[in-house]
Amino acid sequence: MAHFVIVGAGECGARAAFALREKGFDGDVTLIGAEAIAPYERPPLSKDGSGQAPDPKFVAASERYQEQSIDLRLDTTVTAIDPVAKAIRLSDGHMLGYDKLLLATGATARGLPGADGTSDRIRVLRTHADAVALHAALHPGRHIAIIGGGFIGLELAATARMRGADVTVIEGLPRVLKRGVPEEIAQAITERHRLEGVDVRCGETIRSVREETDKVIIGLANGEMIPADLLLVGIGASPNIGLAEAAGLTIDNGIAINERLETSVSDIYAAGDCCSFPLALYGGRRVRLESWRNAQEQANLAAANMLGEGAEISAVPWFWSDQYDLTLQIAGLAEGATTHIRRDLGDGAFILFHLDESGRLLAASGIGRGNAVARDIRLAEMLIAAHAHPDPGALEASGIKLKSLLAA
């Protein structure tokens, strides 16, 4: 009987295990996770603005793994892969053979440069344990400093303010969300954070970080010293490639896979945050995506291809972020766009359409309260997938339905 092994029990790995069963695989499935709790979703860790300690949002109830005959091994570390013997070594020294192997090892939050890991007053957010540790500090009367004006940093800033803490965000680049978000949307988000009382500092260089008994002192290059009760480091994440690299797999901004999620070694696949892949929709450009939807989509694709379906990546990249009552959604990749067209939707909501020099729609970025931009972003996503060249005037005119452009 065939044995499929999945290393990494996060969103991607867990959903791939269930997808194998849904597609009729009746062999053995082993799902291995380093954390001690069952697979859970990560987006709620930074987006929960309630006053309660965050509970894990599990991918599936524990009994479902048993019902589907998935051997879930938690609190277990894989120390090596032997591609020749087609086996992995576990932290207890045992070897586990596989017929096909999926690496869904995810990513690790980057720590503060020059600092030795985290401490009680210097923290990152990647795991449920991180979120629980952060919770106690997010309350009125505490001052939270956040290094990094990306999505994680800003979502944590919103969460901290919603819980009553004072917040300072320090970003080294000239504006927040410099990578991947248009300036108009970044400006709208910055204004909202400042309206909520967040002190947003852009273009600042950090000269020093000193941890004291009851606070952390952040020294800026301009000589200013910022004291905080807690420092959150939100400067991105690095793909977990150690196992793959040691086993001789090709690495290129993550574990390099082809359009079928195959690595450079036979019968080893990779999916989710840990890998980079070519997007035919964008001329084969190699990208690495850290997103909830990408983890889900590649989980299903990995399961299909481990079963020999030969399916290729075709999904349009999509990302969202919740901050206060605002939701930001992005479909596609705007790199290479030469024209940016704005469509106003009312009540402050708007979408920016990004077209290349030929007029092809590459991406759409929208922001508004609640689900204000959701429908139009979904339609834009379909236009992007169709390689559409929509009329710029029709994109700008809010009275013209995007659905009509799709039909055309």
Side-chain angles (χ1 to χ4, degrees):
M1 183 176 290
H3 183 197
F4 288 1
V5 175
I6 302 170
V7 179
E11 178 91 32
C12 185
R15 292 196 182 276
F18 285 111
L20 285 170
R21 293 304 189 211
E22 290 164 4
K23 293 178 178 295
F25 179 64
D26 60 1
D28 294 329
V29 176
T30 301
L31 175 61
I32 302 172
E35 292 186 62
I37 61 175
Y40 58 89
E41 298 185 358
R42 297 190 190 277
L45 299 182
S46 60
K47 294 179 171 68
D48 180 16
S50 71
Q52 303 299 315
D55 291 325
K57 183 179 180 182
F58 293 112
V59 174
S62 297
E63 56 268 22
R64 281 205 60 210
Y65 295 92
Q66 297 177 347
E67 292 169 359
Q68 296 296 313
S69 298
I70 296 170
D71 180 11
L72 176 60
R73 303 191 186 188
L74 300 174
D75 203 17
T76 302
T77 302
V78 177
T79 60
I81 302 169
D82 185 339
V84 177
K86 297 185 74 170
I88 59 173
R89 180 181 296 109
L90 305 181
S91 50
D92 62 6
H94 285 88
M95 300 296 291
L96 184 67
Y98 65 83
D99 291 285
K100 295 197 175 172
L101 176 66
L102 172 62
L103 300 178
T105 49
T108 300
R110 292 191 180 99
L112 189 65
D116 296 327
T118 61
S119 67
D120 288 343
R121 295 192 177 275
I122 301 176
R123 295 206 169 268
V124 297
L125 177 63
R126 187 70 189 181
T127 68
H128 177 255
D130 291 334
V132 171
L134 288 173
H135 171 74
L138 304 185
H139 60 74
R142 305 299 293 273
H143 179 210
I144 313 300
I146 299 174
I147 296 178
F151 287 111
I152 289 294
L154 293 175
E155 287 175 0
L156 285 171
T159 296
R161 282 302 295 145
M162 291 167 72
R163 295 183 182 180
D166 295 325
V167 180
T168 300
V169 173
I170 305 167
E171 168 58 55
L173 295 174
R175 66 170 173 87
V176 301
L177 301 172
K178 182 71 173 176
R179 299 180 180 89
V181 174
E183 187 169 358
E184 285 181 69
I185 289 180
Q187 182 178 352
I189 290 176
T190 300
E191 290 174 355
R192 181 54 185 276
H193 275 281
R194 286 176 173 158
L195 183 65
E196 295 289 342
V198 178
D199 183 8
V200 181
R201 311 280 194 94
C202 293
E204 298 283 7
T205 300
I206 295 175
R207 183 184 61 192
S208 64
V209 173
R210 185 175 76 252
E211 188 173 1
E212 298 185 353
T213 304
D214 59 347
K215 58 182 173 292
V216 178
I217 308 296
I218 302 102
L220 302 183
N222 62 12
E224 184 179 359
M225 308 300 285
I226 300 176
D229 296 294
L230 184 73
L231 174 61
L232 304 180
V233 182
I235 55 175
S238 301
N240 293 327
I241 60 172
L243 275 176
E245 192 169 31
L249 278 63
T250 299
I251 305 298
D252 184 357
N253 185 29
I255 303 169
I257 56 174
N258 63 16
E259 63 278 2
R260 294 178 297 279
L261 307 191
E262 299 166 326
T263 69
S264 58
V265 174
S266 178
D267 294 326
I268 300 181
Y269 300 75
D273 294 3
C274 67
C275 63
S276 69
F277 52 91
L279 268 178
L281 187 63
Y282 294 94
R285 182 194 312 169
R286 182 166 289 275
V287 300
R288 186 174 71 84
L289 300 178
E290 296 175 16
S291 77
W292 173 79
R293 185 195 278 187
N294 182 63
Q296 291 190 327
E297 290 170 342
Q298 291 196 347
N300 292 323
L301 190 62
N305 290 341
M306 291 171 80
L307 295 173
E309 292 188 18
E312 296 186 355
I313 298 169
S314 60
V316 176
W318 178 88
F319 185 85
W320 102 103
S321 176
D322 291 331
Q323 297 172 40
Y324 309 107
D325 61 348
L326 293 179
T327 295
L328 161 67
Q329 291 194 25
I330 300 172
L333 302 176
E335 184 179 346
T338 57
T339 303
H340 309 276
I341 297 172
R342 174 168 171 152
R343 170 183 283 228
D344 289 302
L345 303 176
D347 194 28
F350 65 91
I351 292 179
L352 295 173
F353 298 98
H354 313 285
L355 289 72
D356 68 12
E357 59 185 8
S358 74
R360 177 189 162 195
L361 182 61
L362 297 179
S365 312
I367 189 169
R369 290 182 174 86
N371 293 320
V373 303
R375 181 181 63 179
D376 282 351
I377 287 291
R378 175 57 183 151
L379 290 169
E381 187 179 337
M382 297 167 72
L383 287 167
I384 294 166
H387 295 256
H389 291 66
D391 174 49
L395 289 177
E396 183 178 6
S398 57
I400 298 178
K401 295 184 181 297
L402 293 183
K403 192 173 183 179
S404 67
L405 303 183
L406 189 63

